[in-house]
Amino acid sequence: KMVKGISSTIVSVQVANEGSREGDEVIMAFLEPAEGTIPCSEPASKIVKQLFRFKRVSLKAGESCKVKFLITTKIFQLFDSSGNERIFPGNYTIQFTNGI
């Protein structure tokens, strides 16, 4: 939860290699505005979810690690109908995935 006056926070996600071989994993972080957060008259209302960061990690078989992402207010800035960057107040979900 981003609170007015707070410019950044760190969010982490645990990643594990449950396979029998060493491998790389790409963790992607997406921002998804809740329905109704962005007015329908704004071009940004067409955004379902938006990739804002990704990280590649190498893990040995059975190894796990914590992957940290810096979340700043910049990721919430979208272009309005006048072409200006702004933050639309409302609820947003941050999703982490490996793309599968």
Side-chain angles (χ1 to χ4, degrees):
K1 180 176 182 177
M2 295 296 286
V3 179
K4 190 174 183 175
I6 304 293
S7 61
S8 67
T9 190
I10 294 176
V11 177
S12 62
V13 60
Q14 191 73 20
V15 179
N17 178 354
E18 297 177 346
S20 58
R21 298 186 300 168
E22 182 176 339
D24 287 358
E25 193 68 75
V26 176
I27 308 304
M28 296 177 281
F30 289 91
L31 179 70
E32 180 181 354
E35 189 174 328
T37 295
I38 303 170
C40 293
S41 60
E42 296 290 345
S45 68
K46 300 193 178 18
I47 294 173
V48 175
K49 65 180 177 180
Q50 180 170 303
L51 176 70
F52 68 88
R53 292 229 177 12
F54 65 91
K55 289 188 180 181
R56 178 183 296 271
V57 294
S58 296
L59 296 170
K60 295 180 179 153
E63 185 178 35
S64 66
C65 72
K66 190 179 285 190
V67 179
K68 296 179 182 179
F69 290 89
L70 177 65
I71 309 297
T72 66
T73 54
K74 179 73 176 162
I75 70 162
F76 296 95
Q77 291 180 343
L78 301 170
F79 289 99
D80 64 15
S81 57
S82 300
N84 300 311
E85 278 189 315
R86 65 176 279 205
I87 296 173
F88 294 92
N91 294 315
Y92 294 81
T93 300
I94 294 176
Q95 298 176 341
F96 298 100
T97 180
N98 63 355
I100 296 176

